[in-house]
Amino acid sequence: MIPEEDNKLRPLFDLFDNVSRKVRTRTEQYILFPTQRWVITAALFLIYILRIYAVGGYYVISYILGLYVLHLIVQFLTPKGIPDLEDEDDEENMQLPIHQTQENESSEPKPLTRTVSEFHFWQDATKAVIIALCTTLSRLFDLPVFWPFLLGYFIFLVAITVKRLMRRMKKYNYSIFDFGKKNMRKPDKY
């Protein structure tokens, strides 16, 4: 038996379910069109930047958006099976199990199998830009802050994160620039 309070909210829950189902169906139609998806996201981001420039505020929202997109990039570039950066800090001596392979295979970088797919990366980034754009419509989110400090700290965080990613790439022997294993043929000896 459903309490009377829930019965009053039931149409609202049904509306939310219908809207979320339609949004998910529409979003999944764009899976096969990555270029168009990223163009739309870039256009939304450009609209956000122009809005911030025109209004002259919302620096905290921009900072949070930048940190979230940086977090998404780190997730996108981290391969499956490698612990999170936070987990790695807790246990410095943590090592993945190493399987014995041929010597020439263990020395070359492994192809990257991503933790987060490109589609989910795009979807989360687009949602973040839309939410940030919506928050610029209310003065409630325009917090007074000294923006050069936020910019300097954001650049510092990006530099530290890139350094840690490069260190992890060396430690776990993977490359974000490799899009598959290359077939190396040995030259024929005559």
Side-chain angles (χ1 to χ4, degrees):
M1 185 171 176
I2 299 174
E4 190 172 315
E5 296 171 356
D6 289 344
N7 281 337
K8 292 178 183 176
L9 296 176
R10 193 71 189 157
L12 185 64
F13 290 134
D14 290 341
L15 177 67
F16 179 75
D17 287 341
N18 288 336
V19 169
S20 65
R21 191 176 308 116
K22 287 180 183 180
V23 167
R24 186 174 51 246
T25 302
R26 175 68 77 182
T27 305
E28 289 175 353
Q29 291 175 349
Y30 295 111
I31 287 177
L32 298 176
F33 305 105
T35 305
Q36 291 85 349
R37 285 188 278 130
W38 284 106
V39 166
I40 291 170
T41 302
L44 286 171
F45 192 69
L46 182 64
I47 291 169
Y48 174 76
I49 290 172
L50 292 174
R51 169 89 175 134
I52 295 300
Y53 182 73
V55 173
Y58 299 99
Y59 301 119
V60 173
I61 300 298
S62 299
Y63 178 72
I64 292 170
L65 176 64
L67 286 180
Y68 184 69
V69 170
L70 179 64
H71 173 73
L72 289 176
I73 290 170
V74 168
Q75 281 186 328
F76 180 68
L77 295 179
T78 302
K80 281 186 180 179
I82 292 183
D84 290 338
L85 286 172
E86 294 83 20
D87 296 340
E88 196 170 280
D89 287 344
D90 294 339
E91 302 174 19
E92 280 296 322
N93 296 328
M94 180 188 297
Q95 293 288 328
L96 289 178
I98 298 173
H99 299 288
Q100 296 296 328
T101 59
Q102 296 177 0
E103 286 182 26
N104 60 356
E105 288 182 2
S106 64
S107 64
E108 68 182 41
K110 301 172 195 84
L112 181 65
T113 305
R114 302 187 189 284
T115 304
V116 177
S117 69
E118 181 269 337
F119 178 75
H120 286 99
F121 173 54
W122 165 80
Q123 193 174 26
D124 291 344
T126 305
K127 284 179 192 175
V129 172
I130 289 171
I131 291 170
L133 195 55
C134 290
T135 57
T136 62
L137 300 176
S138 171
R139 281 283 174 194
L140 176 68
F141 298 106
D142 189 12
L143 303 174
V145 68
F146 186 59
W147 69 266
F149 175 74
L150 285 180
L151 181 63
Y153 190 63
F154 179 74
I155 291 171
F156 173 74
L157 286 177
V158 168
I160 293 295
T161 303
V162 168
K163 180 181 175 184
R164 291 172 76 187
L165 277 175
M166 292 300 160
R167 191 176 336 129
R168 286 167 51 105
M169 284 174 55
K170 288 180 184 175
K171 181 177 179 180
Y172 293 111
N173 197 23
Y174 73 92
S175 173
I176 60 172
F177 307 110
D178 189 14
F179 297 106
K181 190 169 182 176
K182 296 176 183 162
N183 291 331
M184 301 287 280
R185 288 184 6 178
K186 293 185 177 183
D188 295 332
K189 294 185 179 180
Y190 293 102

